[in-house]
Amino acid sequence: LHTPMYFFISNLAILDLVGVSSVLPKMLENLILGRNTISFEGCVAQLYTFTFSVSTELILLTVMSYDRYLAIRQPLHYVTMMSKRTCISLMAGVWAISTINSLINTLLVAQLDFCGPNLVQNFLCEIPSVLALSCSSTYVNEITVYMADIILGMGNFLLVILSYCLIITTILKIQGSARKWKAFSTCSSHLAIVGFFYSTIIYTYIQPTSTPLEKKNKTVNIMYTLVIPTLNPLTYSLRNKVVKAAFWKI
């Protein structure tokens, strides 16, 4: 398990725990106690943690697609190119960029004035829902969010698409259908997660600001905040023959 792929998967697992833990406990508390309240400080903390987890996963999925590209395109040089030092450096960069992005957006939100109404049209505090409640100008916040969407969202999405275009081109050059399928199976799990994650993110965030929050599909929010993080371990682990055998043995 001490390979680059599983190193990145372990980081993804930690990230999923952080993201779910920022939303699920408060959500269950409100459901059990029959109330729908959260303090302003708690809302800001949830906003920061949730923004951090989403932005980190966007970049991490791109790094993982690059890892799969090197494994398929240059298998003989893969071990030296994706050394332990390289993997740690990549992850340090991922966590640092996400921390800066979420910190800037959270500080800008915390400086806004909120004078009512105080009803968040969602089951969690995220930037679009909180900005809609502010009675002060949110122009700077919206510009910052759009820049993050373009750089972190669309930028990483295009890099993932580029990686898979190169992967598919390489697989088509491989002789024999069995070898082609074996090469593709190494990245099929990652491709499935990318498809689920980006489809829900794009649907939720790439919408006009004039769209009423009441009309936004909360089911989609549940998908990428709770369902996808729960499916990630199954999608990755159960496709591994060794892990699958150990699972059935237990």
Side-chain angles (χ1 to χ4, degrees):
L1 296 179
H2 294 275
T3 60
M5 181 178 70
Y6 287 105
F7 173 76
F8 294 131
I9 289 176
S10 65
N11 278 270
L12 180 64
I14 295 171
L15 183 63
D16 286 337
L17 286 174
V18 172
V20 171
S21 298
S22 68
V23 178
L24 190 59
K26 187 63 182 177
M27 183 172 156
L28 291 176
E29 177 190 348
N30 287 334
L31 287 172
I32 293 171
L33 299 180
R35 65 187 187 189
N36 299 302
T37 60
I38 187 171
S39 65
F40 178 75
E41 293 78 11
C43 185
V44 171
Q46 189 181 75
L47 185 146
Y48 171 81
T49 309
F50 179 72
T51 304
F52 170 79
S53 63
V54 171
S55 58
T56 305
E57 186 153 354
L58 287 171
I59 308 174
L60 179 55
L61 290 175
T62 303
V63 172
M64 294 175 74
S65 67
Y66 175 68
D67 171 70
R68 292 298 85 207
Y69 161 71
L70 290 180
I72 295 174
R73 185 70 179 267
Q74 298 181 344
L76 298 180
H77 300 282
Y78 174 70
V79 177
T80 56
M81 295 180 70
M82 292 299 291
S83 63
K84 184 177 181 180
R85 183 177 180 180
T86 302
C87 293
I88 293 175
S89 299
L90 285 171
M91 283 311 308
V94 170
W95 291 90
I97 293 172
S98 303
T99 301
I100 295 171
N101 169 67
S102 53
L103 185 62
I104 291 174
N105 281 285
T106 304
L107 290 176
L108 288 174
V109 170
Q111 294 176 357
L112 296 175
D113 296 323
F114 297 93
C115 45
N118 60 354
L119 178 63
V120 178
Q121 295 290 344
N122 210 329
F123 61 89
L124 77 158
C125 290
E126 59 176 353
I127 294 177
S129 303
V130 176
L131 290 184
L133 304 180
S134 176
C135 53
S136 56
S137 175
T138 59
Y139 177 76
V140 177
N141 300 75
E142 292 179 1
I143 293 297
T144 307
V145 170
Y146 279 129
M147 289 178 61
D149 287 345
I150 293 172
I151 297 173
L152 296 180
M154 298 306 298
N156 283 290
F157 180 71
L158 292 176
L159 288 174
V160 170
I161 294 297
L162 176 62
S163 296
Y164 273 100
C165 287
L166 296 173
I167 288 172
I168 292 172
T169 303
T170 304
I171 291 176
L172 291 176
K173 295 179 181 179
I174 298 176
Q175 299 296 326
S177 58
R179 294 180 61 192
K180 288 181 179 180
W181 173 249
K182 183 179 179 180
F184 178 76
S185 64
T186 62
C187 57
S188 58
S189 298
H190 177 262
L191 186 60
I193 295 299
V194 167
F196 281 122
F197 187 75
Y198 272 101
S199 60
T200 54
I201 289 291
I202 291 173
Y203 179 85
T204 303
Y205 285 97
I206 310 301
Q207 296 187 59
T209 55
S210 58
T211 303
L213 288 173
E214 293 84 356
K215 293 185 179 181
K216 290 184 183 277
N217 196 339
K218 296 180 179 62
T219 304
V220 178
N221 289 17
I222 293 175
M223 282 292 295
Y224 73 79
T225 55
L226 302 175
V227 177
I228 291 178
T230 304
L231 293 178
N232 279 350
L234 295 174
T235 306
Y236 279 109
S237 300
L238 295 183
R239 291 189 64 85
N240 180 278
K241 292 181 180 180
V242 178
V243 177
K244 187 185 295 184
F247 174 81
W248 285 115
K249 184 178 180 181
I250 293 172

